[in-house]
Amino acid sequence: MTSAAPATAAVPLGSPAGAAPGWSAVRTTGLTRRFGTHVAVDGVALEVPRGAVYGFLGPNGSGKTTTIRMLLGLIAADDGEIELLGRPMPERLADVLPRVGALIEGPAFHPHLSGASNLRRLDVSDATADPATSRARIGQALTRVGLTAAAGKRYRSYSLGMKQRLGLAAALLQPRDLLVLDEPTNGLDPQGTREVRHLIRDLAADGTTVLVSSHLLAEVEQVATHVGIMSAGRLLRQGPLTEVLADGVAVLRVTTPDLDAAGDVLGRLGLASVRTDAEQSCVQARLGNVLTEDVAAELHTAGVRLRGLTVERPDLETLFVSLTGEGFDVVE
Amino acid sequence: MSSSEPVAAAAAPPWRTAPHLPGAFRRLYAGEMRLVLGRRRNQALLGVLAVVPLVIGVAVRLSTPRNGDGPQFLSQIAGNGLFLVFTALTVALPFFLPLVVGVVAGDSIAGEAGTGTLRYLLAVPVTRGRLLAVKALGVASCTALAVLVVALVGLLAGAVLFGLHDVTLLSGDTVSLADGLLRTVGVVVFVVVALFGLAAGGLFVSTLTENAIAAMATTIGIAVFSALLDAVPELRPIAGALLTHHWLGFGELLRTAPDGGALLRWSLLHLAYVAVFLSLAWARLQTKDVTS
Ligand SMILES: Nc1ncnc2c1ncn2[C@@H]1O[C@H](COP(=O)(O)OP(=O)(O)OP(=O)(O)O)[C@@H](O)[C@H]1O
Ligand SMILES: [Mg+2]
């Protein structure tokens, strides 16, 4: 295989075809988990390249958290294989997890302990964490999430956003190769959301791979290099953000007084769903594989007077909705 | 499973496993004890245990119980404060000690599962084997501490209220105070080991649920239920194998020549309960889905 690894290709996965040579931060094949008869995760083949910021997307109940729990060895998979940082999980859990920071379905701490004491409890539980640097690392982690002032307050009295920040601090107690963040911005204020975005960028710049699940698509679009989109337990799409977005349906829009002629040209070029809007004096169609410049040239040759020619590529949200459906109801 | 992955074998990742640092388990254990003993509820329960010998001591001081009335050894307290230890243990064993053991053991894993901290402990990672080891050790320490609180407060209160003297044994012989104290140590060890059976049961129950209160209630229920079965005459043939049947057997140590064989047999029974419950807890924890 060449260095243009298919790991970075926007193939709809589910097949092991997405496997790249070498090792990835996260790789699963055929990952499946059932709860009773309900298949919560169905043949998922995740491929998170090293150094990526991977946006793990999907509607409520699509299986993101269940997948993350399996990655971390919290629940057993019914089927399939998992590799974290190139080592099989859960067999090598004790070696792998010290290099992985995780926020799993929201923070959870002991309410009667302070934020700092809670972090201390986690740090003393880590057999690989140096007790000599414990205090300093806890301080740094708290500073990094902007929680220094509230470090001594009981967790019970924290606000939702403060709890979330403490969860992030716990994931940052040690230098990590991989961060798995399940909805890290849940409950954060706009500043907090922005901070998390910066934090993820900083960490990624230091070489940490980040797998982040989120419902804030605009946020994901800003930080992610890769995305994977889940729906009803299946991974519908994954790959570099640009390629996944390019997969989406681009819409061409011609504004012209010569509506009929323009429509003919678009039809002749093989564009789908040609629609004329007399009121706006424009013609719309799906661009498909046709190049915009070819359309422009043909329109010119046909003598169509152009007032405007635009191509709208869908943003992540449009793509997400087109893949996972408009429906508001949770899919079971 | 992993050996069928040629890709992984071909390019082993270039990072080394971080070694476990010396004293790692001790730190884990210290953290666990800080957590358990830092809880107000647990402190209050230990306080309740401390009150038991005090109440008995003061009550005896204020009245003169007739011979044969009340719990084991009650009538000897006025003559020798050391007996307050034995009376207090006798009073605390049916309910107060199981209460404390039940709360601490029942809470140990179910409590972490309920608050969600279990998933973060496992993700640290604290492997499931280490988790069970540290929880078992923590529960055992608390069990020992609970018995020690009753015994030490009993000893102190007995010394202050009645003074400590040479000990008149059940058989009527008298032994030196030093001998008596040595026997007291034996009593404490016996009671602690006896309660380990229940503690291990609580630990197992705690792996079954995310509801700490249910786990605590079930554990205390085990002790109560066992005592209930013990009182059914039809079950006399199997009563000797019940979890609680020999708890008060520490009286054997207050005979001139204690039946060492019996004490050993009873203690081995209690340790057998520990082995069974710990195995069950281990099996359950290994396969437990942590979804809370
Ligand atoms: N412990 C469980 N028992 C039974 N079903 C479960 C359990 N955990 C998850 N499920 C089911 O598995 C499916 C996937 O749930 P999961 O929590 O992975 O979704 P998610 O993608 O994380 O959703 P959200 O965006 O709401 O966090 C859901 O249908 C859910 O009901
Ligand atoms: Mg989720």
Side-chain angles (χ1 to χ4, degrees), chain A residues 33 69 74 85 95 104 106 127, chain B residues 8 15 17 21 119-120 289-290:
Chain A
R33 170 71 203 213
R69 284 182 188 278
L74 294 175
L85 303 172
D95 302 336
I104 314 140
Chain B
W15 53 266
T17 302
L21 298 170
R119 65 176 183 270
Y120 284 106
D289 276 339
V290 179

Side-chain angles (χ1 to χ4, degrees), chain B residues 102 104-110 132 135-136 139 196-210 215-216 218-219 222 273-285 287-288:
Chain B
V104 173
D107 193 37
S108 59
I109 289 172
L132 186 64
K135 288 292 181 185
V139 169
F196 277 171
L198 180 66
L203 192 62
F204 169 54
V205 171
S206 194
T207 62
L208 298 176
T209 172
E210 290 164 12
M216 295 176 197
T218 306
T219 310
I222 290 175
Y273 271 108
V274 171
V276 169
F277 281 132
L278 278 188
S279 310
L280 288 172
W282 188 82
R284 164 67 184 155
L285 200 59
T287 55
K288 184 181 169 84

Side-chain angles (χ1 to χ4, degrees), chain B residues 29-274:
Chain B
Y29 170 70
E32 173 69 16
M33 291 312 288
R34 259 199 309 276
L35 181 74
V36 176
L37 297 180
R39 294 200 68 144
R40 292 246 178 82
R41 181 193 63 204
N42 295 347
Q43 294 166 355
L45 282 171
L46 289 178
V48 168
L49 286 181
V51 167
V52 170
L54 292 179
V55 167
I56 300 170
V58 170
V60 169
R61 190 69 221 243
L62 297 180
S63 68
T64 327
R66 290 172 306 264
N67 243 346
D69 247 7
Q72 228 179 164
F73 316 117
L74 189 67
S75 50
Q76 281 106 311
I77 295 177
N80 189 346
L82 189 58
F83 278 92
L84 185 53
V85 175
F86 310 131
T87 311
L89 284 175
T90 306
V91 169
L93 263 172
F95 184 68
F96 290 109
L97 280 169
L99 173 74
V100 176
V101 170
V103 166
V104 173
D107 193 37
S108 59
I109 289 172
E112 303 259 15
T115 54
T117 45
L118 182 59
R119 65 176 183 270
Y120 284 106
L121 268 187
L122 293 176
V124 158
V126 179
T127 56
R128 292 171 188 228
R130 278 166 70 86
L131 180 74
L132 186 64
V134 77
K135 288 292 181 185
L137 208 59
V139 169
S141 306
C142 289
T143 304
L145 185 64
V147 176
L148 277 177
V149 165
V150 177
L152 287 179
V153 174
L155 187 65
L156 268 174
V160 170
L161 292 172
F162 310 104
L164 301 177
H165 314 287
D166 286 355
V167 183
T168 307
L169 297 175
L170 299 183
S171 39
D173 294 334
T174 301
V175 296
S176 69
L177 179 58
D179 191 340
L181 286 172
L182 201 65
R183 286 165 189 260
T184 310
V185 171
V187 166
V188 167
V189 171
F190 179 87
V191 171
V192 168
V193 170
L195 284 169
F196 277 171
L198 180 66
L203 192 62
F204 169 54
V205 171
S206 194
T207 62
L208 298 176
T209 172
E210 290 164 12
N211 185 336
I213 303 288
M216 295 176 197
T218 306
T219 310
I220 298 163
I222 290 175
V224 172
F225 191 62
S226 170
L228 242 152
L229 290 182
D230 208 4
V232 177
E234 285 77 11
L235 295 178
R236 188 92 12 105
I238 61 146
L242 288 172
L243 180 65
T244 55
H245 185 75
H246 299 294
W247 278 10
L248 292 176
F250 67 81
E252 188 64 33
L253 279 159
L254 301 178
R255 297 184 191 285
T256 313
D259 183 350
L263 285 166
L264 188 67
R265 250 184 295 115
W266 299 339
S267 292
L268 284 178
L269 174 72
H270 297 144
L271 290 175
Y273 271 108
V274 171

Side-chain angles (χ1 to χ4, degrees), chain A residues 134-158:
Chain A
S134 179
R135 187 174 288 272
R137 283 182 292 107
I138 289 170
Q140 279 163 13
L142 285 167
T143 308
R144 214 155 179 189
V145 298
L147 216 51
T148 313
K153 279 174 79 174
R154 275 167 191 256
Y155 180 72
R156 191 196 304 281
S157 66
Y158 277 20

Side-chain angles (χ1 to χ4, degrees), chain A residues 20 22-23 27 29 33 35 69 73-76 80-81 83 85-88 91-100 102-113 120-122 124-131 154, chain B residues 1-2 4-5 7-8 11-22 24 27-28 30-32 34-35 38-40 111-112 115-128 130 135 287-292:
Chain A
W23 56 284
R27 174 179 296 155
T29 47
R33 170 71 203 213
F35 289 109
R69 284 182 188 278
L74 294 175
I75 63 177
E81 253 130 72
E83 261 180 50
L85 303 172
R87 305 253 155 102
E91 293 83 355
R92 300 291 296 275
L93 180 148
D95 302 336
V96 173
L97 289 190
R99 315 175 76 90
V100 179
L103 186 67
I104 314 140
E105 198 160 62
F109 293 96
H110 292 285
H112 66 286
L113 296 182
R120 176 142 173 262
R121 165 121 209 279
L122 287 175
V124 298
S125 304
D126 185 345
T128 69
D130 184 358
R154 275 167 191 256
Chain B
M1 222 158 83
S2 53
S4 64
E5 275 271 22
V7 172
W15 53 266
R16 267 181 215 288
T17 302
H20 279 204
L21 298 170
R27 279 194 297 282
L28 179 64
E32 173 69 16
R34 259 199 309 276
L35 181 74
R39 294 200 68 144
R40 292 246 178 82
E112 303 259 15
T115 54
T117 45
L118 182 59
R119 65 176 183 270
Y120 284 106
L121 268 187
L122 293 176
V124 158
V126 179
T127 56
R128 292 171 188 228
R130 278 166 70 86
K135 288 292 181 185
T287 55
K288 184 181 169 84
D289 276 339
V290 179
T291 54
S292 61

Side-chain angles (χ1 to χ4, degrees), chain A residues 35-36 38-41 58-67 69 105 182-183 213 215 230 330-332, chain B residues 291:
Chain A
F35 289 109
H38 174 63
V39 188
V41 174
N60 291 139
S62 56
K64 304 181 297 295
T65 301
T66 304
T67 304
R69 284 182 188 278
E105 198 160 62
D182 192 5
E183 302 189 32
S213 102
H215 294 296
M230 296 277 294
V330 170
V331 180
E332 277 291 326
Chain B
T291 54

